[in-house]
Amino acid sequence: AVPLTDDRAFLMAGFTNTADELILPTPEARFYLDGRFIGQRFLDMIPAGAEADLSFGAIDGLRLARVIPQRQEGDKGVFTRSSALDETVQIEVENLTAQDWPMRVLDRVPYSEQEELQIEWSAEPSPSETEVDDKRGVLAWTFDLPAGQTQAITLDYSLEWPEGKVLR
């Protein structure tokens, strides 16, 4: 689930090609879930020993919301001046289905590539992973979401930089 880009979660399957030969690309790969035909789509070539992720489509009953209820930008300091940006992000994952779902929710926080830009962040609950797939600022939460339940995630971050500098 990536609430920054979509309001629904997607069913994904990861696997390793354990065959001693590659899986050839085809426009007619058929996908089944629990014995039910889900659909047909293109499948890329998957070499022997390679890992792949396949999407089985959106799960309509898993709803995502991402809102920014608080954003403050301004100057701080009495004798020393600096500019700052404080932001709160609230994420909500709601299970409207009749079954429990294992979830992996991805979101991001800013990161600094400049010494003068100071960034602090916190999350409640804490993420299960940081720097997902070696990507700076990407966070992941992994949890089980029971039927009819909601999981909330709150991200707070603060950016501070010297007065006279421009944040880009």
Side-chain angles (χ1 to χ4, degrees), residues 92-118:
E92 188 174 275
V93 183
E94 185 177 15
N95 184 353
L96 301 174
T97 72
Q99 71 182 77
D100 299 350
W101 288 97
M103 298 294 303
R104 185 172 190 230
V105 177
L106 300 171
D107 209 278
R108 66 182 185 190
V109 290
Y111 62 91
S112 177
E113 293 183 343
Q114 300 174 0
E115 190 174 310
E116 293 178 317
L117 175 59
Q118 300 298 313

Side-chain angles (χ1 to χ4, degrees), residues 103-140:
M103 298 294 303
R104 185 172 190 230
V105 177
L106 300 171
D107 209 278
R108 66 182 185 190
V109 290
Y111 62 91
S112 177
E113 293 183 343
Q114 300 174 0
E115 190 174 310
E116 293 178 317
L117 175 59
Q118 300 298 313
I119 299 175
E120 294 180 13
W121 65 268
S122 64
E124 183 60 39
S126 296
S128 309
E129 296 175 65
T130 59
E131 297 186 13
V132 175
D133 297 330
D134 295 324
K135 294 178 183 165
R136 294 176 65 191
V138 178
L139 309 174

Side-chain angles (χ1 to χ4, degrees), residues 40-160:
Q40 178 176 314
R41 69 175 179 87
F42 182 80
L43 182 66
D44 288 323
M45 179 177 65
I46 304 170
E51 294 181 358
D53 291 320
L54 300 175
S55 173
F56 284 77
I59 304 167
D60 289 326
L62 291 178
R63 300 299 169 116
L64 312 173
R66 185 183 194 273
V67 295
I68 302 172
Q70 179 181 337
R71 181 181 174 100
Q72 280 185 295
E73 189 171 353
D75 297 329
K76 39 191 311 192
V78 177
F79 296 109
T80 61
R81 308 250 332 143
S82 65
S83 297
L85 170 68
D86 296 314
E87 190 167 89
T88 297
V89 175
Q90 292 180 335
I91 298 168
E92 188 174 275
V93 183
E94 185 177 15
N95 184 353
L96 301 174
T97 72
Q99 71 182 77
D100 299 350
W101 288 97
M103 298 294 303
R104 185 172 190 230
V105 177
L106 300 171
D107 209 278
R108 66 182 185 190
V109 290
Y111 62 91
S112 177
E113 293 183 343
Q114 300 174 0
E115 190 174 310
E116 293 178 317
L117 175 59
Q118 300 298 313
I119 299 175
E120 294 180 13
W121 65 268
S122 64
E124 183 60 39
S126 296
S128 309
E129 296 175 65
T130 59
E131 297 186 13
V132 175
D133 297 330
D134 295 324
K135 294 178 183 165
R136 294 176 65 191
V138 178
L139 309 174
W141 290 264
T142 305
F143 54 90
D144 291 326
L145 187 60
Q149 297 294 310
T150 300
Q151 172 69 48
I153 298 170
T154 302
L155 284 171
D156 291 301
Y157 49 86
S158 175
L159 289 73
E160 190 173 328

